[in-house]
Amino acid sequence: MTGNDGRRLRSQDWFDIPGDPGTSVLMLERFLNYGLSRAELQAGKPVIGIAQTGSDLSPCNRHHLELAQRLREGIREAGGVAMEFPVHPIQETARRPTAALDRNLAYLGLVEVLHGYPLDGVVLTTGCDKTTPAALMAAATADLPAIVLSGGPMLNGWVDGGRCGSGTVLWAARKKFAAGEIDEDGYWNLVSAGTPSAGHCNTMGTASTMNALAEALGMSLPGNAAIPAPHRERAEMAYRTGLQAVELVRADRKPSQVLTRDAFHNAIVVNSALGGSSNAPIHLNAIAQHAGVGLTLDDWERIGQEVPLLLNMQPGGTYLGEDFHRAGGVPAVLAELADGGLLRTDAVTVNGSTIAENLPRSGTADPDVIHPFASVAGSPGAGFRVLRGNLFDSAIMKTSVISAEFRARYLSDPESPNAFTARAIVFDGPEDYHERIEDPGLRIDADCILVMRGSGPLGHPGSAEVVNMQPPAALLGAGVEELPCMGDGRQSGTSGSPSILNAAPEAAAGGRLAILRTGDAVRVDLNAGRVDVLIGEDEITQRERELADAGGYPVRPHQTPWQQIYRESVSQLDDGGVHTSALAYREVGRRENLPRYNH
């Protein structure tokens, strides 16, 4: 039999092979042991995988275990068969040494499932930071019909009548605790107030950012990203997504038709308008590479730097996830950006309509949460500044989180605006930082820049969110709440620190952060887009020679087989931290690339 639209489905090459009933029996019979029937599996019904990222190890995605039931109902209602399967867990705060390792491992595992099992399409359940890029990277590689269902943010947190954002409150609580303003119980209570319900971070950290960008890319239904996890609309969205997944298979609408250059253009614009996470360039560049779309940091600066900030949401603003949803979510932001002429509105989305056709009739429902484009046109851009110099080939700074205090202290010299020189305090990994940050011998003052190295894809390994370092307690007590920070690792998207991040190449890959010494003068010039250590080329050459003679920048040994495999083929953060060998594989889930028989 063929699918009810007359087209033979991929799953039928497992369950209903013409002229080979023996192989079909082998492939099909074990699926009957939990109650499925031969009639269902040989009727030409689309078999839709549910890539389940929820588990007890992934608390931000755990409610997908319940949402999967509504997905199943939507899939069955549309005439499909649902098959749920686990995805390698990715939990941002608990995974050591870093969940960045899991992004690539989950990607590889998901590619193998989509290639090797009888699936015609897949629903990608996403939520916590790296679940979204892992899923979209795999969808781009497999090129089976795919759609994203986000889990949604937590409800708003509240403390003393004010909004308390998950993640963001953690950095504030650390400062209060270090300054002696709260005791240990107060620390616990303040941080836990930011996590009042199921869901991912309710701030515009990496989780909210990447789910919003999945919608901006066209890979989820309109309105999917911002619905809070406990709201009834979240379960309704799951049902509608299940319906759409079956339609995708029948229309043979694939990620390659959605993940176009125009789609990535729109995602960069939306990220700037949201004040999105500093991790977004890493993840979006990785997705683009697997989709065969060349995307660079220069594209981020060219397309996104001058886009004004529309969303007033923590960490760079006031509001939280519930407020964003009520103001209209991503569709309202898209409508405002379309009014400003900043979008490629002909880009096709998973529902078969273009961005233009999906736009709501009006934009923001709350102009204090999502500013109308007309009210902010001409405002300073909210995109990333790409920085280069004699310490690295590239790094980024999130300009939308530069506070008034930081600007006044470091970027307001009338003779050299948007530039400063600081004395470097160098740490080799987070352990070194925690051990020495309070060392009085370092003489850390407000004229210093804290440098974190050994925290990139090779050095950590995986790249860790450790660059946003807080000053020593004495400075916090004196009212200096942030120092300039720089490093070859990342920082949490929930952090409001304007750090210099993702420096590439990292110290462990031969980057010149490896030769930087405590006490060196570092010049940061945002106007010129440069970061330079103020020593001569002869001194740089001498230090590089000494480092090479000593065996290079020291890297901790692998602790697991995966760490070794990861390090052997991972790219630097400017290229998305992908496995370069994986980029050769495209459309592995198409019928033309069916795997060999197993018996």
Side-chain angles (χ1 to χ4, degrees):
M1 295 179 65
T2 59
N4 55 17
D5 64 347
R7 181 173 53 84
R8 183 171 173 82
L9 298 177
R10 182 177 185 270
S11 60
Q12 292 175 286
D13 290 313
W14 273 259
F15 295 146
D16 193 12
I17 304 171
D20 193 356
T23 301
S24 295
V25 167
L26 174 68
M27 301 284 185
L28 186 150
E29 58 90 18
R30 205 51 57 95
F31 288 94
L32 308 184
N33 75 0
Y34 62 93
L36 284 175
S37 67
R38 175 188 172 192
E40 289 173 282
L41 295 177
Q42 291 190 328
K45 295 174 179 286
V47 178
I48 308 297
I50 299 174
Q52 179 58 266
T53 59
S55 73
D56 289 350
L57 284 178
S58 302
C60 295
N61 289 32
R62 192 178 184 277
H63 56 299
H64 273 304
L65 298 172
E66 299 173 4
L67 290 173
Q69 182 58 37
R70 287 297 281 153
L71 276 171
R72 287 177 175 273
E73 290 165 358
I75 291 166
R76 181 162 289 277
E77 177 75 15
V81 176
M83 288 192 175
E84 187 176 346
F85 61 89
V87 175
H88 181 82
I90 309 178
Q91 168 55 23
E92 190 59 44
T93 55
R95 171 62 156 109
R96 297 168 66 176
T98 169
L101 289 167
D102 285 330
R103 188 202 72 173
N104 288 12
L105 187 55
Y107 155 76
L108 290 169
L110 187 48
V111 167
E112 289 300 313
V113 172
L114 297 180
H115 175 249
Y117 283 88
L119 300 174
D120 300 306
V122 63
V123 178
L124 308 164
T125 65
T126 68
C128 188
D129 300 14
K130 294 169 184 63
T131 56
T132 307
L136 287 174
M137 289 158 62
T141 297
D143 208 32
L144 283 179
I147 187 170
V148 166
L149 173 69
S150 302
M154 291 180 278
L155 298 176
N156 289 0
W158 295 90
V159 168
D160 298 329
R163 288 173 177 81
C164 178
S166 53
T168 298
V169 71
L170 175 63
W171 318 120
R174 280 183 177 179
K175 293 175 182 177
K176 288 179 178 293
F177 184 65
E181 297 176 20
I182 54 176
D183 60 14
E184 187 171 345
D185 286 341
Y187 194 170
W188 281 98
N189 293 337
L190 183 54
V191 172
S192 61
T195 56
S197 74
H200 61 66
C201 282
N202 52 26
T203 49
M204 190 49 67
T206 306
S208 288
T209 296
M210 293 311 302
N211 285 282
L213 296 191
E215 187 173 332
L217 286 167
M219 286 299 294
S220 64
L221 290 177
N224 168 72
I227 302 168
H231 281 207
R232 65 160 185 83
E233 299 105 308
R234 177 52 63 192
E236 179 185 346
M237 179 59 73
Y239 173 75
R240 291 173 52 210
T241 299
L243 294 173
Q244 190 65 54
V246 177
E247 193 276 334
L248 278 172
V249 173
R250 290 187 171 134
D252 197 28
R253 191 175 305 120
K254 305 179 291 293
S256 56
Q257 296 168 268
V258 177
L259 295 174
T260 62
R261 178 163 293 280
D262 283 352
F264 287 99
H265 173 102
N266 291 340
I268 291 173
V269 171
V270 168
N271 187 82
S272 295
L274 298 178
S277 168
S278 57
N279 289 306
I282 301 169
H283 297 320
L284 202 70
N285 286 8
I287 297 165
Q289 290 219 55
H290 287 291
V293 176
L295 201 65
T296 68
L297 290 181
D298 288 336
D299 292 322
W300 279 84
E301 192 166 62
R302 176 179 57 83
I303 296 168
Q305 187 182 7
E306 298 306 319
V307 175
L309 182 66
L310 297 184
L311 182 61
N312 181 13
M313 185 170 168
Q314 296 182 28
T318 302
Y319 294 100
L320 294 172
E322 283 187 79
D323 311 297
F324 180 38
H325 171 56
R326 292 187 177 118
V330 174
V333 172
L334 290 171
E336 296 295 342
L337 291 169
D339 284 347
L342 296 181
L343 294 180
R344 305 279 174 84
T345 56
D346 289 337
V348 175
T349 72
V350 285
N351 68 3
S353 300
T354 64
I355 291 287
E357 291 167 337
N358 284 336
L359 289 177
R361 293 182 179 178
S362 60
T364 179
D366 187 336
D368 195 41
V369 179
I370 300 174
H371 304 314
F373 184 85
S375 71
V376 295
S379 299
F384 298 113
R385 190 73 170 99
V386 178
L387 303 169
R388 295 179 169 87
N390 64 5
L391 287 171
F392 40 72
D393 293 341
S394 70
I396 64 167
M397 175 185 278
K398 181 177 175 180
T399 59
S400 64
V401 294
I402 296 176
S403 66
E405 178 187 358
F406 188 94
R407 185 171 297 280
R409 189 183 300 276
Y410 299 107
L411 301 174
S412 297
D413 183 347
E415 296 184 3
S416 186
N418 291 321
F420 64 92
T421 301
R423 182 169 59 90
I425 307 295
V426 182
F427 299 101
D428 290 294
E431 298 82 3
D432 185 32
Y433 161 75
H434 289 298
E435 181 178 340
R436 294 197 298 126
I437 185 60
E438 300 295 343
D439 182 356
L442 293 176
R443 298 182 294 106
I444 301 175
D445 57 27
D447 295 321
C448 290
I449 182 169
L450 305 181
V451 180
M452 175 66 68
R453 66 188 179 194
S455 58
L458 299 178
H460 194 74
S463 77
E465 296 185 338
V466 294
V467 177
N468 51 317
M469 297 166 279
Q470 70 181 28
L475 279 185
L476 289 171
V480 180
E481 294 193 353
E482 55 185 346
L483 290 175
C485 295
M486 176 173 68
D488 56 13
R490 302 175 295 110
Q491 75 179 25
S492 169
T494 64
S495 170
S497 172
S499 306
I500 298 166
L501 301 160
N502 311 347
E506 62 180 301
R512 284 180 170 174
L513 282 182
I515 64 155
L516 192 66
R517 296 176 180 173
T518 292
D520 285 342
V522 173
R523 177 72 173 172
V524 177
D525 188 334
L526 298 186
N527 290 335
R530 289 196 62 87
V531 177
D532 296 285
V533 57
L534 302 183
I535 58 177
E537 282 299 321
D538 289 345
E539 175 66 15
I540 289 175
T541 300
Q542 177 63 27
R543 291 187 188 184
E544 287 179 323
R545 185 180 301 115
E546 291 173 359
L547 182 65
D549 291 344
Y553 184 80
V555 174
R556 293 181 176 223
H558 315 304
Q559 293 178 305
T560 66
W562 171 238
Q563 289 184 16
Q564 178 175 348
I565 294 168
Y566 177 93
R567 279 169 156 161
E568 287 173 349
S569 67
V570 72
S571 69
Q572 290 290 285
L573 293 180
D574 56 340
D575 286 328
V578 299
H579 292 292
T580 53
S581 59
L583 299 178
Y585 296 88
R586 301 286 309 285
E587 300 183 342
V588 303
R590 305 301 293 158
R591 285 195 64 208
E592 296 78 8
N593 289 315
L594 287 175
R596 299 180 69 184
Y597 286 175
N598 59 2
H599 283 78

